[in-house]
């Protein structure tokens, strides 16, 4: 079995119940949600999110709550030393997100490490460490933070596994830091997904296999090392279907949750067809999207 799903919406009126219904409609046994809009801080009280109803539906379909991944909003930038108020806002909001993630019943929150805003990578990394310690030292929720691999666009931190390892090494509660590998981001950062064994070996040497919590499975519109971060649909980009299929079925990653973040096609989600293709090795060109 592989644990494969996609990003799903969480919106009124059904909120989390609607998220699980959407995931099930795609034939998924995993999903990723935002607790609210990813580009702002507006959030509903957790008692309005229909969490109990969602968990009841999950139980009826043997949908493991540990396969719900929460993604932190993009407005969090812990690395921003240029505007410390924004960095502090990010830390405060991250602490709130950990609480919401725990209330939902999930145990993994994916976080973009942050952008140093031209202050330099080392300064950005030190600010990320400082803010993560500020948050985690005062937090006891049973939620891990999975730092996402980044493409190297602009002033992003976390473009190399070594940068992510430096962040983890500086965090007091290192046991709560995990890794989210994004295949598009890795490709755009210069890591060849065709040779995924070598990429995985580099990460496991630094973090251990047990600390790889999530894989975002995305094709890329860009050539290797482009540093642009533009997702493509499965089999429609420069990585290709076969390489992504091998990632999904990699024997060392059987217990790792895989999440699609591919673009909508003609206004419609492609996830049912892409999940089926990646699960059953169906030629992607036969998918009706």
């Amino acid at each position: 079995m592989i644990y494969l799903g996609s990003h799903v919406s969480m919106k009124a009126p059904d909120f989390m119940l609607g998220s699980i219904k959407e995931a099930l409609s795609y034939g998924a046994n995993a999903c990723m949600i935002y607790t609210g809009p990813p580009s702002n801080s507006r959030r509903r009280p957790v008692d309005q999110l229909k969490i109990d109803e969602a968990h009841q539906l999950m139980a009826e379909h043997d949908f493991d709550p540990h396969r719900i991944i929460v993604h932190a909003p993009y407005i969090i930038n812990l690395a921003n030393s240029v505007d410390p108020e924004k960095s502090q806002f990010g830390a405060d909001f991250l602490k709130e997100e950990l609480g919401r993630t725990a209330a939902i019943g999930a145990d993994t929150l994916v976080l973009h490490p942050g952008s140093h805003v031209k202050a330099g990578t080392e300064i950005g990394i030190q600010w990320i460490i400082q803010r993560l310690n500020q948050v985690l030292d005062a937090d006891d929720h049973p939620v891990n933070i999975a730092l996402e691999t980044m493409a190297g666009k602009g002033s992003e931190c976390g473009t190399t596994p070594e940068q992510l390892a430096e962040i983890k090494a500086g965090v007091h509660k290192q046991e709560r830091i995990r890794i989210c590998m994004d295949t598009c981001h890795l490709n755009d950062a210069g890591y060849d997904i065709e040779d995924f064994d070598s990429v995985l070996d580099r990460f496991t040497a630094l973090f251990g296999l047990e600390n790889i919590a999530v894989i975002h499975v995305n094709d890329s519109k860009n050539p290797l090392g482009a540093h642009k971060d533009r997702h493509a649909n499965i089999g429609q980009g420069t990585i290709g279907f076969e390489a992504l299929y091998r990632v999904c079925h990699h024997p060392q990653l059987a217990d790792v949750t895989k999440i699609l973040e591919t673009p909508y096609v003609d206004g419609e989600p492609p996830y049912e067809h892409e999940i089926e293709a990646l699960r059953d090795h169906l030629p992607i060109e036969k998918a009706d999207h």
Side-chain angles (χ1 to χ4, degrees):
M1 176 185 288
I2 64 171
Y3 297 98
L4 180 62
S6 69
H7 165 253
V8 292
S9 62
M10 190 169 76
K11 59 186 179 182
D14 284 342
F15 297 106
M16 186 176 169
L17 176 61
S19 300
I20 300 305
K21 287 180 178 178
E22 183 181 350
L24 292 171
S25 77
Y26 300 148
N29 58 1
C31 67
M32 186 174 75
I33 61 175
Y34 294 85
T35 67
S39 58
N40 65 53
S41 59
R42 293 194 300 272
R43 294 294 182 270
R44 293 288 189 107
V46 293
D47 61 5
Q48 296 181 13
L49 300 183
K50 297 192 176 182
I51 295 170
D52 291 341
E53 295 95 324
H55 278 264
Q56 180 177 343
L57 181 61
M58 292 164 65
E60 292 170 2
H61 290 270
D62 295 322
F63 196 114
D64 187 346
H66 296 296
R67 301 303 169 180
I68 297 176
I69 306 298
V70 177
H71 200 301
Y74 305 132
I75 54 173
I76 294 176
N77 184 9
L78 306 183
N80 191 350
S81 64
V82 175
D83 190 339
E85 288 187 5
K86 289 183 179 178
S87 176
Q88 184 60 55
F89 163 82
D92 294 340
F93 199 69
L94 176 59
K95 191 172 189 306
E96 294 176 14
E97 285 288 278
L98 289 169
R100 280 186 284 267
T101 301
I104 284 168
D107 56 16
T108 301
L109 176 69
V110 172
L111 176 69
H112 290 186
S115 296
H116 59 73
V117 199
K118 299 183 179 179
T121 301
E122 282 307 311
I123 291 175
I125 286 174
Q126 290 309 308
W127 274 69
I128 295 167
I129 292 169
Q130 174 187 330
R131 293 307 192 194
L132 285 174
N133 281 328
Q134 177 186 333
V135 171
L136 293 176
D137 286 353
D139 179 84
D140 58 2
H141 290 108
V143 176
N144 296 318
I145 294 174
L147 300 174
E148 185 169 346
T149 58
M150 304 308 293
K153 180 179 65 176
S155 58
E156 289 176 337
C157 299
T159 302
T160 70
E162 288 77 16
Q163 289 177 12
L164 296 174
E166 184 178 352
I167 294 169
K168 181 177 172 69
V171 173
H172 300 152
K173 294 183 178 179
Q174 293 182 21
E175 71 279 3
R176 290 186 61 184
I177 301 297
R178 301 288 191 270
I179 298 299
C180 170
M181 299 175 71
D182 184 303
T183 55
C184 172
H185 295 177
L186 287 166
N187 173 85
D188 288 18
Y191 300 95
D192 188 359
I193 304 303
E194 281 282 354
D195 187 18
F196 187 70
D197 282 343
S198 294
V199 179
L200 184 60
D201 286 347
R202 187 166 174 179
F203 276 84
T204 55
L206 289 167
F207 303 103
L209 191 62
E210 69 279 5
N211 285 316
I212 299 174
V214 188
I215 297 181
H216 288 167
V217 182
N218 301 301
D219 215 323
S220 175
K221 294 182 179 181
N222 304 298
L224 187 70
H227 302 294
K228 288 187 177 179
D229 185 10
R230 295 179 66 219
H231 295 192
N233 291 96
I234 302 301
Q236 307 301 314
T238 59
I239 299 173
F241 176 79
E242 291 297 334
L244 294 172
Y245 178 85
R246 290 194 296 272
V247 170
C248 288
H249 293 268
H250 197 288
Q252 289 183 274
L253 301 173
D255 196 46
V256 176
T257 303
K258 289 93 177 176
I259 298 293
L260 299 170
E261 301 175 302
T262 50
Y264 276 30
V265 177
D266 297 327
E268 296 296 326
Y271 304 129
E272 179 180 1
H273 302 295
E274 292 185 340
I275 288 169
E276 181 183 30
L278 286 170
R279 186 183 62 234
D280 299 331
H281 200 268
L282 299 178
I284 199 69
E285 60 270 18
K286 292 184 180 179
D288 184 20
H289 63 5

